[in-house]
Amino acid sequence: MTSAYEAARARRSWSRVTDEAPSHDELVRIVSAAGRVADHSSLRPWRLIELRGDDRLRLGRALNKAEGKRGVSTKPLRAPLLIAVVASYSKKSKVPRWEQEAVASGVAHMVSLLLDEAGWGVFWRTGSATRSKPIAKAHKLGKREELLGWLYVGGKPLDRDSGRRKAIDAEAFISRMP
Ligand SMILES: Cc1cc2nc3c(=O)[nH]c(=O)nc-3n(C[C@H](O)[C@H](O)[C@H](O)COP(=O)(O)O)c2cc1C
């Protein structure tokens, strides 16, 4: 197993993946770690929805509907497993929505990283339809829920090298209090 530092340095997004997918049990193992992100008041303001097989066609239909088109978009078929990332805001808490959304986003980044480290290809996708009514309905989102997009997950294709991204110029992103 790599260190968190090594895993973060090595990760990249995989726009094309194979038909292999992590099992539900593997996903549970990964989410149990990802869910340990910092979380103001431990609200756990997030949930994930697994889309496999024909679930993806239902999403494809909703995507087309959101764009005023008939039929089924084939976009969700680009990966065998899609993980819809849902921010589930707590009503009672004084923790503002943006903080709760940050937690849900953190979980999604952590799930992506852990899946990548475990050898799976991941690509976080959104689109103009992400927060549309047809999409909310297809995922049965509650009134206080919003979608942050989908993690498209599958096998890393062997015919592609890992294509490491250029390291970022970290100095350029850090400054002192002005
Ligand atoms: C919230 C979120 C939504 C994204 N949506 C898309 C998308 O719809 N289409 C896309 O090409 N990239 C999208 N991206 C960016 C890719 O997931 C990916 O990070 C980018 O292609 C850079 O590749 P890298 O992660 O290997 O550096 C999104 C990223 C985030 C965090």
Side-chain angles (χ1 to χ4, degrees):
M1 194 184 287
T2 51
S3 70
Y5 178 84
E6 286 165 351
R9 286 278 302 213
R11 74 151 290 282
R12 55 160 287 198
S13 298
W14 292 78
S15 60
R16 200 164 58 77
V17 291
T18 72
D19 283 343
E20 264 188 290
S23 67
H24 172 75
D25 286 351
E26 186 168 2
L27 186 61
V28 168
R29 196 182 72 80
I30 279 171
V31 172
S32 72
R36 293 285 303 110
V37 295
D39 181 354
H40 195 166
S41 295
S42 297
L43 296 173
R44 312 278 185 256
W46 55 275
R47 66 187 179 98
L48 306 174
I49 304 170
E50 273 179 272
L51 287 81
R52 297 178 191 264
D54 287 354
D55 300 338
R56 298 170 304 160
L57 298 176
R58 285 176 52 206
L59 172 59
R61 191 174 296 280
L63 283 173
N64 267 16
K65 195 170 178 191
E67 290 174 4
K69 294 185 209 157
R70 287 171 186 233
V72 179
S73 165
T74 55
K75 282 181 188 168
L77 301 180
R78 285 186 280 191
L81 167 64
L82 273 60
I83 304 171
V85 180
V86 182
S88 293
Y89 306 108
S90 163
K91 193 183 174 189
K92 288 176 202 153
S93 171
K94 286 182 189 152
V95 177
R97 269 190 175 222
W98 70 265
E99 290 194 32
Q100 299 186 45
E101 191 171 34
V103 177
S105 174
V107 170
H109 280 293
M110 198 69 95
V111 168
S112 300
L113 180 64
L114 293 170
L115 282 169
D116 185 86
E117 187 202 28
W120 299 106
V122 185
F123 201 105
W124 189 341
R125 292 181 201 276
T126 48
S128 56
T130 304
R131 293 200 171 174
S132 67
K133 276 191 182 160
I135 294 294
K137 196 172 166 194
H139 292 79
K140 282 209 166 54
L141 299 188
K143 274 186 190 157
R144 286 187 300 280
E145 290 190 321
E146 281 175 335
L147 208 59
L148 270 61
W150 301 265
L151 304 179
Y152 281 59
V153 186
K156 292 179 181 173
L158 290 174
D159 60 345
R160 288 218 169 164
D161 67 15
S162 67
R164 272 188 192 186
R165 297 290 187 268
K166 259 200 328 199
I168 64 154
D169 173 13
E171 281 288 1
F173 293 90
I174 307 172
S175 64
R176 295 293 299 262
M177 180 73 179

